[in-house]
Amino acid sequence: MNRSDELIALAALGELDAAGQVELDAAVRRDPSVAPALHDALEAAARLQATGAVAPPGALRARVLGAVASTPQEPAPAPPGRAPDDHGRAVVPLVRRRAGWLAAAAAAVALIVGGVALSARQPSAPDEVAAVVDADDVVVRVLQGSLGGRLEVVHSGSQDALVVIGDDLAPLASDRTLQLWLVDDAGATSVGTFAPDGDGTVRARFDGVDPTGVVVGVTVEPAGGSAAPTLPIVASA
Amino acid sequence: MNDARRRGVTAGVGAVPLQHLTLMQRVQGGDQQALAALYDQLAPAVHGAALRVLRDPQLAEDVTQEAFVELWTTAHRFDQARSSVLAWAVTIVRRRAIDRVRREQSQRDRAAQLGARRAELAPATDDFVVATMEAQRVNRALLALPPDQREVVQLAFLDGHSHTAIADRLHLPLGTVKSRVRGALHRLAGALGEDA
């Protein structure tokens, strides 16, 4: 069984974690045979499960529709360098997106862990960055993804901080930001937001963050950041 | 609308994927009435899938509600190249239900329940299976699977167990369970596709 088949099995089982979802998204983009295989597997699994259809109590309908009426939809993400999709996805007007964003994110609880601590402190002072990068105990992780250029997360335990180093990254729309997350099986915890400057450069320090042993992932979010990641994760390590 | 609700099983499967797609596109545009129409068509299948995993009617209702709210909030993520609307909704509810079990129940309790239920498996494929043509098709396809593949998909998708619980119970490596699930779904997709 190759990795794509394993990811497809986990998706059908409802047991794909966030990092696996990133991998599956990448596989779908890379290999045109993955989407149809995923489609067929999910369909077969759904048809098995649907043989046990049991109408819920009538009162649930009103509860669901009430919850929906008070819950804004997530905005459709527009990652840099990605062509508009052709699957008829809706584009929600920006004003509505922003008004409803935090509530929508709060409702999409699947990936939220703990509180939100957005720390958009960027660009960080050169000496603050250098203190981490030049520390004796640095661990460098290079993120792979679709942001172009080179993106690294540099962590120092002695400095109790990590620095995001980006060079030649793809430009980002002015109403978007990048957001860094620590992702484990329990979900994603926000580290903070950052954005490339006009040259595609990032130097951003975040204190009190330890990415040891967990996946670091980056998403494209509305300016100001989000309480929960908007998939896909565009870079990870 | 009520007809669609009463039809239950058949309403969600096979016959109306195009209608689901049209409704889903309206949901992506923020149309709450379209979401209500999708609820009427998909709720029995979604709720049934939640019940398989959770067994508890109240929990299953809660998770069904969460799934429809997620379907609404994350509508832009739906991609018809990757799944039908029904499959997407069922996948969402199963993921949430499995997460709920993980949070609320220790793996050991679960394994004990699994042991108790295993004895019942062979004679009655499932209490929930109703005598519709769709269920007959699915049963036929299941019976055509190699026994080791049939066993894992029954445990996973009819009895509602996670692949880790199945691996524990059958003393199999996780990779073997995943591989059997993948192989079984591939065969089922072929059989159900030809049979549709």
Side-chain angles (χ1 to χ4, degrees):
Chain A
M1 184 173 56
N2 66 32
R3 181 63 178 157
S4 291
D5 281 329
E6 185 178 3
L7 294 167
I8 287 169
L10 287 171
L13 287 160
E15 297 178 77
L16 195 60
D17 61 19
Q21 184 66 54
V22 173
E23 270 192 80
L24 183 57
D25 289 341
V28 166
R29 284 193 296 270
R30 189 177 59 240
D31 179 350
S33 72
V34 173
L38 177 63
H39 187 287
D40 287 352
L42 296 183
E43 192 68 18
R47 285 177 72 176
L48 283 177
Q49 292 171 88
T51 55
V54 179
L60 185 62
R61 188 178 194 271
R63 271 169 55 198
V64 167
L65 299 183
V68 161
S70 61
T71 308
Q73 291 178 298
E74 262 182 24
R82 201 170 144 189
D85 71 64
D86 56 2
H87 295 302
R89 296 183 205 190
V91 175
V92 181
L94 191 60
V95 173
R96 229 174 89 206
R97 287 183 188 180
R98 287 194 170 161
W101 172 247
L102 281 177
V109 290
L111 285 169
I112 300 176
V113 172
V116 181
L118 297 177
S119 45
R121 34 175 310 172
Q122 205 254 332
S124 302
D127 57 340
E128 286 183 339
V129 171
V132 174
V133 173
D134 295 338
D136 289 330
D137 60 344
V138 289
V139 176
V140 178
R141 289 160 74 175
V142 179
L143 281 73
Q144 305 295 323
S146 57
L147 290 172
R150 183 177 175 87
L151 188 63
E152 299 173 351
V153 166
V154 181
H155 174 248
S156 161
S158 63
Q159 291 286 317
D160 190 23
L162 69 74
V163 170
V164 179
I165 305 283
D167 290 297
D168 302 313
L169 298 181
L172 199 60
S174 60
D175 60 340
R176 299 278 147 177
T177 185
L178 298 176
Q179 189 163 354
L180 184 69
W181 308 86
L182 303 184
V183 184
D184 62 19
D185 287 349
T189 307
S190 173
V191 174
T193 59
F194 62 94
D197 65 14
D199 297 327
T201 301
V202 174
R203 298 287 184 271
R205 172 173 165 146
F206 300 96
D207 290 297
V209 181
D210 185 353
T212 307
V214 300
V215 171
V216 292
V218 175
T219 57
V220 178
E221 302 291 351
S226 300
T230 304
L231 297 179
I233 294 179
V234 293
S236 63
Chain B
M1 182 182 298
N2 286 333
D3 278 354
R5 244 161 168 177
R6 268 196 294 275
R7 264 185 279 133
V9 173
T10 51
V13 184
V16 283
L18 198 61
Q19 188 190 347
H20 292 168
L21 206 54
T22 307
L23 288 170
M24 192 63 209
Q25 284 169 350
R26 285 170 52 196
V27 169
Q28 289 178 319
D31 184 338
Q32 293 180 19
Q33 286 184 341
L35 190 281
L38 263 188
Y39 176 89
D40 289 333
Q41 297 202 18
L42 303 181
V46 170
H47 178 247
L51 266 177
R52 287 185 185 283
V53 175
L54 293 162
R55 316 274 166 81
D56 179 299
Q58 187 56 54
L59 280 179
E61 268 187 58
D62 291 349
V63 170
T64 299
Q65 176 173 343
E66 290 172 12
F68 275 102
V69 172
E70 179 174 338
L71 185 145
W72 165 255
T73 58
T74 66
H76 68 86
R77 294 188 204 168
F78 171 74
D79 180 350
Q80 61 176 300
R82 298 190 190 197
S83 72
S84 69
V85 179
L86 170 74
W88 198 56
V90 169
T91 303
I92 288 175
V93 83
R94 179 177 167 94
R95 176 170 47 72
R96 299 196 77 106
I98 296 261
D99 284 349
R100 184 68 76 104
V101 168
R102 287 212 174 109
R103 285 205 304 273
E104 298 198 356
Q105 222 172 355
S106 78
Q107 204 63 21
R108 185 185 296 177
D109 292 345
R110 198 67 191 155
Q113 278 191 23
L114 178 55
R117 281 187 61 87
R118 283 274 299 151
E120 310 161 11
L121 242 185
T125 302
D126 200 291
D127 297 341
F128 294 133
V129 174
V130 290
T132 64
M133 286 177 65
E134 168 68 8
Q136 287 169 16
R137 266 192 221 110
V138 170
N139 276 335
R140 247 194 330 269
L142 266 179
L143 288 171
L145 290 176
D148 57 348
Q149 290 187 357
R150 184 165 66 239
E151 181 175 44
V152 294
V153 293
Q154 283 182 334
L155 288 169
F157 299 115
L158 299 184
D159 270 11
H161 294 291
S162 69
H163 82 289
T164 48
I166 295 168
D168 277 353
R169 175 67 185 98
L170 300 180
H171 306 295
L172 290 171
L174 289 173
T176 303
V177 176
K178 284 183 280 195
S179 174
R180 287 182 187 175
V181 166
R182 179 71 192 98
L185 291 177
H186 184 68
R187 282 172 186 262
L188 286 170
L192 292 170
E194 285 167 17
D195 209 8

